[in-house]
Amino acid sequence: MTAAAQIGIDSCPIEGFDKKQVTVILQNEGIINGDDFGVACMVAFGYRQKDPKRPQTRQHLDEIVEWR
């Protein structure tokens, strides 16, 4: 996901999928075999149509960290 972001591709991890069913589908399509590979996570990748118009919402480091 980090490498994709560095070349301008957005990504989003997907939760709540049926791991067994996804594995069956990928095996039936000949994409993976269950002995050597399996599904660890799912991620959607794509390009945004336009940049969001909201300002950055992260606080500056000095506002949240106190050095002693």
Side-chain angles (χ1 to χ4, degrees):
M1 291 175 64
T2 301
Q6 290 179 337
I7 60 172
I9 301 172
D10 292 324
S11 61
C12 183
I14 300 171
E15 296 182 23
F17 63 93
D18 186 333
K19 186 175 177 176
K20 288 182 182 179
Q21 187 61 35
V22 169
T23 301
V24 168
I25 291 169
L26 295 175
Q27 286 176 332
N28 289 344
E29 293 294 321
I31 297 171
I32 64 170
N33 73 34
D35 298 330
D36 298 324
F37 297 101
V39 177
C41 65
M42 291 181 65
V43 181
F45 292 96
Y47 296 96
R48 46 177 97 177
Q49 290 183 334
K50 56 185 173 180
D51 286 329
K53 295 183 180 183
R54 64 181 190 277
Q56 181 89 11
T57 57
R58 291 185 180 165
Q59 295 175 313
H60 293 284
L61 187 61
D62 344 348
E63 296 175 334
I64 57 173
V65 174
E66 183 178 316
W67 301 98
R68 295 181 182 224

